[in-house]
């Protein structure tokens, strides 16, 4: 296994050996593509997947109930909560000029309406660390995970969900929006609808239903629902709620910085048309149409 320190060393040597060919400003040879000088080269991470010990997050609970469709708990993960500076050094030494990371809602608002200034300051330090290394910070406000209390209220099936997300977004934006390069409200909010289109085995949905029931029992709730773990019949209603959450979240973020670009990232197939009767365009409309419309009207 390669440690972070070794990886930094290896990538630094590789960059030194490759010389000017890695520079966007270097004169391209015949047949080569030259990228614009302002092209964004970046790496991305998701808080729950790298930080470790995200105890107040809904997915943490799902990982630890029985039964669970998760193979194993995330545990310490990559300990990026403490080693974030090393992660930024990795990105810098790879020759990148941007870093996308997420703010963990469950850390910032572990209880409804109670915000942790210590955690807000933590994420502000990451943003400042990006700037110190010449990395453009791209910040995701919600990368799949939400606080346990939020999902125990029904998550994105709850009619209050968009307003709750907007409240959290406003709290983060008022302290960070002026230092962010781009803001992302949601990462792949359409992921379950995409998986539904793949006709996954019913066992997957049945296992997920049992897991959500166990989480509801553990959290003393009537309905436990997450962005990337929900029951089949809730997906369409969740999409409408998430789109409204994006709109309200965008408004909250832009109230802090009207010039900040705000968007979302979608999970997408590489659709290819096959023959005159291809269903590609119809499938694209089914899977992405509502989100494309939201993108055109919210920002």
């Amino acid at each position: 296994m390669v440690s972070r320190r070794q990886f930094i060393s290896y990538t630094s040597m590789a960059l030194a050996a490759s010389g000017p060919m890695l520079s966007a400003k270097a004169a391209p040879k015949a047949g080569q593509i030259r990228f614009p000088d302002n092209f964004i080269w970046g790496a991305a991470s998701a808080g729950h997947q790298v930080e470790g010990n995200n105890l107040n997050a809904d997915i943490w609970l799902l990982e630890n109930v029985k039964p669970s469709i998760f193979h194993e708990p995330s545990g310490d993960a990559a300990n990026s909560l403490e080693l974030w500076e090393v992660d930024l050094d990795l990105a810098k030494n790879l020759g990148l000029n941007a870093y996308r990371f997420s703010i963990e809602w469950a850390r910032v608002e572990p209880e409804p309406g109670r915000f942790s200034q210590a955690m807000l300051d933590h994420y502000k330090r990451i943003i400042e660390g990006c700037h110190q290394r010449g990395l453009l910070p791209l910040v995701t406000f919600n990368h799949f995970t939400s606080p346990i209390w939020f999902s125990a209220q029904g998550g994105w099936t709850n009619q209050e969900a968009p307003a709750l997300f907007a409240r959290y977004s406003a709290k983060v934006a008022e302290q960070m929006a002026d230092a962010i390069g781009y803001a992302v409200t949601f990462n792949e909010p359409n992921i379950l609808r995409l998986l539904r289109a793949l006709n996954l085995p019913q066992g997957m949905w049945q296992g997920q239903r049992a897991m959500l029931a166990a989480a509801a029992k553990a959290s003393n709730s009537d309905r436990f629902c997450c962005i990337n773990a929900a029951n089949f019949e809730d997906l369409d209603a969740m999409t409408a709620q998430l789109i409204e959450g994006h709109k309200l979240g965008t408004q909250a973020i832009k109230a802090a910085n009207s010039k900040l670009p705000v968007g979302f990232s979608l999970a997408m197939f590489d659709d290819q048309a096959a023959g005159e009767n291809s269903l590609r365009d119809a499938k694209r409309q089914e899977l992405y149409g509502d989100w494309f419309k939201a993108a055109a009207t919210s920002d």
Side-chain angles (χ1 to χ4, degrees), residues 208-286:
Q208 190 165 237
R209 186 180 298 276
M211 176 183 67
L212 291 169
K217 182 178 181 180
S219 59
N220 297 314
S221 69
D222 296 325
R223 190 181 203 178
F224 200 91
C225 182
C226 312
I227 288 182
N228 66 340
N231 289 321
F232 193 92
E233 66 272 13
D234 291 328
L235 303 189
D236 291 335
M238 285 175 59
T239 296
Q241 289 278 88
L242 283 161
I243 288 174
E244 182 63 18
H246 166 71
K247 292 178 179 178
L248 294 183
T250 297
Q251 293 172 11
I253 295 168
K254 283 191 167 291
N257 182 352
S258 61
K259 297 181 179 179
L260 177 63
V262 183
F264 50 79
S265 68
L266 290 182
M268 301 185 74
F269 291 136
D270 180 15
D271 301 315
Q272 302 293 332
E276 295 181 358
N277 299 317
S278 170
L279 298 177
R280 183 196 62 185
D281 292 344
K283 282 296 182 181
R284 284 181 175 178
Q285 178 61 34
E286 174 188 341

Side-chain angles (χ1 to χ4, degrees), residues 33-78:
I33 297 175
R34 174 171 175 168
F35 288 86
D37 291 343
N38 62 348
F39 191 84
I40 297 176
W41 294 93
S45 64
H48 184 77
Q49 297 170 18
V50 300
E51 289 179 347
N53 299 304
N54 194 18
L55 305 180
N56 292 312
D58 51 7
I59 302 301
W60 179 274
L61 180 59
L62 294 184
E63 292 170 348
N64 288 279
V65 297
K66 302 295 182 185
S68 175
I69 64 172
F70 290 94
H71 180 65
E72 60 184 4
S74 54
D76 290 336

